[in-house]
Amino acid sequence: MSLDLNVYVKQIDDSIIPKWIERMNQFDMECEIHPDFSFNDHSGFLPFKIRLKNPKNEELKDKEFISGFEFYKDEFDLQKELESLQPKKSFFQKLMNKSNEKVEYANTEIDSKLADCKLVLTFNWGSHNSLELRMSSLSSAIISELTNGICSYPADDIWYDNKTIVEDAHKELLEYENSLKPTEWRMHKFEGWNE
C-alpha cells in the first residue's frame, strides 16, 4: 500500500533544506537528509537517517534507522489542469452552442491560491517501513508551512489548513505509531548512505 501527499508551491530551492530539517528535529527525533539531496534534480526515494528520542517502543531507543519516501517535483499549471477536467461537449451541446460549466480543481478558495503555484511536490509513502508516514507527513506539512504552499491528500480530497498543519500531522503520526505493537514495527537499521 502506498499513498501520496501533494504540496503545491510557487517555487522551491535548496535554501529551505536547513530550516526543513531543523523543524523536523523538533518532533522527538534527530534526522539527517541524504547529503546529496537537491530539489533541482532529485526524483525517487529520498532517504533520511533517524534516531527517535523518546520512542514508546523501547527496542527502538538509541538506534539509528533509515527511512524516507518517494519524492517527485513536477510542473503545475492550474489552467491546464482545469482544461483537462472540462467535460467534452456532446454533439447536441455543440449544435446548440451551449457554454461549458465552470469546473474547479478543488474549490473556489483553494483554486485562487493554486493559481500562483508553478510546482507540485509529491511525497509518496508506503507501509513497508513504519517511519515512512512520519517522514512524509511531517516533511510535506513543514514544507507547506515554510513555503506558504498548499498541501493535499488527494486520495480523500483533503486540503489542509497551514495554520495547524504541522501539529496536526504530528498528532496523526503519533496516533499511528502508538497503535503499533512492538512486533508490528518494520524498520531498517542505518548502515550508511550506500552512495
Side-chain angles (χ1 to χ4, degrees):
M1 180 182 101
S2 71
L3 293 166
D4 290 346
L5 290 160
N6 292 338
V7 177
Y8 300 83
V9 297
K10 293 177 188 172
Q11 62 182 15
I12 196 157
D13 61 51
D14 292 351
S15 66
I16 200 171
I17 295 172
K19 296 175 198 151
W20 168 21
I21 300 304
E22 179 183 344
R23 189 86 162 94
M24 294 279 285
N25 286 329
Q26 293 173 359
F27 294 94
D28 295 324
M29 68 177 164
E30 293 172 19
C31 75
E32 294 174 28
I33 196 166
H34 191 284
D36 294 338
F37 172 75
S38 171
F39 284 107
N40 298 325
D41 59 9
H42 186 86
S43 184
F45 186 70
L46 176 55
F48 292 80
K49 177 170 72 169
I50 306 150
R51 178 190 294 266
L52 298 174
K53 289 184 181 174
N54 299 303
K56 186 176 173 185
N57 181 348
E58 286 295 315
E59 293 176 30
L60 307 179
K61 202 170 181 102
D62 299 322
K63 293 181 182 162
E64 291 182 337
F65 299 98
I66 189 164
S67 187
F69 47 84
E70 298 284 324
F71 175 82
Y72 304 96
K73 179 181 83 172
D74 296 294
E75 291 183 6
F76 177 79
D77 181 330
L78 180 62
Q79 254 345 97
K80 285 182 182 174
E81 296 296 328
L82 291 174
E83 287 168 16
S84 73
L85 295 174
Q86 189 71 50
K88 301 288 182 222
K89 286 185 181 182
S90 71
F91 174 75
F92 292 109
Q93 287 172 319
K94 289 178 188 174
L95 195 63
M96 297 174 69
N97 202 22
K98 275 200 146 197
S99 61
N100 283 334
E101 292 180 30
K102 184 183 176 206
V103 295
E104 293 179 318
Y105 191 74
N107 59 51
T108 305
E109 181 187 352
I110 298 291
D111 284 10
S112 69
K113 294 175 184 175
L114 289 172
D116 293 333
C117 295
K118 302 293 179 224
L119 299 168
V120 58
L121 311 175
T122 302
F123 301 76
N124 176 278
W125 58 276
S127 57
H128 56 272
N129 183 297
S130 299
L131 290 176
E132 282 197 26
L133 174 63
R134 168 182 285 266
M135 302 313 289
S136 62
S137 64
L138 278 178
S139 290
S140 60
I142 289 167
I143 288 175
S144 185
E145 178 186 72
L146 291 173
T147 62
N148 200 25
I150 303 146
C151 186
S152 78
Y153 178 55
D156 289 336
D157 196 27
I158 297 171
W159 295 84
Y160 296 100
D161 180 354
N162 272 7
K163 289 181 199 130
T164 59
I165 189 170
V166 177
E167 290 71 20
D168 292 346
H170 185 242
K171 182 180 168 193
E172 285 179 21
L173 74 88
L174 283 180
E175 284 176 19
Y176 165 72
E177 290 178 358
N178 290 336
S179 75
L180 296 176
K181 296 180 180 96
T183 56
E184 294 175 324
W185 280 84
R186 291 189 207 100
M187 307 291 280
H188 304 288
K189 285 187 179 176
F190 180 81
E191 296 174 356
W193 291 115
N194 299 330
E195 303 298 324

